[in-house]
Amino acid sequence: MDLIFFIQSKTVNLEKFTLKDLPGSSGRFDVICRCILAALDNTIIPELLVQVWVFLPRYGTFIFTNRELNLETFPKNELLLAKKFKDFILQNDQDLKIKKTRMNIFEAINKFMQDEHKIILLSESGHYFDKFFIGERDISKLICIIGDQTGDLINNSELREFNLPEVSFGKETYLASSIIRLVKIALMNSSKNFKFK
């Protein structure tokens, strides 16, 4: 199974970046780094192929793929990752093995829909995750779109035009990184319904 997370942040701005105040100086770049770490953590389903597409309108789109990274040397906390990722974005250090594209989130959704990926929008108002996947026997390509901290993405009219199914873990508000972990735990618990590559 391929599991892909789409994460977008229009607020990320690295002009005044400092590790001493990562949340306040970077437009919440810390949230993005926490999500990347949560997605790439292979302790829940080791055999899962995971990608994280990070859409930063100011800087481009960056693609992390767990099987292309050296997870032993990959930064283990958000401060270390923030420093490395910031240097990669600003082309001060190309040490991270990640890809960059100019594709925006809507172009990516359109591309993956044509490739027959199952794309879901994670939203508090959606169908409950476990019930949504009852009867699904072969979801070999799943994309989960995570909302941003402003709520702008979930409510975006262009995104709504895709008419994507909305899936929820309940009415509670979760951190984006927690949602990513919940997705992976739910897939592990339902692994008999899924085919892993």
Side-chain angles (χ1 to χ4, degrees):
M1 177 182 189
D2 297 352
L3 177 60
I4 301 173
F5 293 100
F6 281 5
I7 306 163
Q8 176 172 277
S9 178
K10 292 183 177 180
T11 63
V12 167
N13 185 341
L14 304 175
E15 290 179 10
K16 298 180 180 178
F17 176 96
T18 172
L19 286 177
K20 292 180 180 178
D21 181 18
L22 180 57
S25 69
S26 64
R28 299 313 310 264
F29 192 49
D30 59 312
V31 172
I32 295 297
C33 293
R34 257 197 313 276
C35 288
I36 294 167
L37 291 170
L40 297 178
D41 178 6
N42 68 345
T43 57
I44 296 174
I45 311 177
E47 64 269 38
L48 200 61
L49 173 64
V50 178
Q51 278 191 343
V52 188
W53 287 55
V54 179
F55 300 89
L56 304 177
R58 288 175 188 261
Y59 302 104
T61 299
F62 304 87
I63 306 166
F64 294 75
T65 305
N66 64 346
R67 292 185 186 166
E68 295 177 4
L69 300 171
N70 183 342
L71 296 179
E72 290 185 10
T73 60
F74 192 78
K76 299 295 190 293
N77 63 59
E78 65 190 70
L79 289 177
L80 293 174
L81 178 55
K83 172 69 168 65
K84 280 279 191 184
F85 191 14
K86 183 266 297 183
D87 287 344
F88 184 92
I89 290 170
L90 300 181
Q91 299 183 340
N92 298 327
D93 181 358
Q94 299 300 295
D95 192 34
L96 284 178
K97 304 295 184 192
I98 59 178
K99 296 176 182 172
K100 183 177 179 181
T101 177
R102 295 182 180 180
M103 198 180 305
N104 68 37
I105 192 167
F106 307 115
E107 292 168 339
I109 291 169
N110 190 54
K111 172 188 180 298
F112 280 107
M113 286 181 83
Q114 291 177 13
D115 291 342
E116 298 186 351
H117 282 68
K118 185 164 192 70
I119 305 176
I120 61 173
L121 179 61
L122 292 165
S123 163
E124 292 170 17
S125 61
H127 298 283
Y128 193 67
F129 194 93
D130 286 348
K131 291 185 173 62
F132 182 81
F133 285 103
I134 287 175
E136 296 283 2
R137 294 299 172 211
D138 183 14
I139 303 175
S140 57
K141 299 175 180 178
L142 177 63
I143 297 177
C144 300
I145 301 175
I146 310 290
D148 59 12
Q149 69 266 27
T150 65
D152 290 346
L153 178 60
I154 295 292
N155 298 312
N156 184 285
S157 59
E158 193 171 351
L159 180 65
R160 290 291 175 183
E161 288 178 7
F162 287 104
N163 199 28
L164 300 172
E166 295 185 38
V167 180
S168 170
F169 284 97
K171 300 299 182 185
E172 299 86 356
T173 300
Y174 292 100
L175 296 173
S177 54
S178 297
I179 286 290
I180 288 170
R181 291 188 182 94
L182 286 170
V183 167
K184 293 167 79 174
I185 290 168
L187 292 178
M188 179 188 68
N189 290 339
S190 303
S191 59
K192 63 181 179 297
N193 293 335
F194 301 94
K195 295 179 181 178
F196 295 100
K197 291 183 180 180

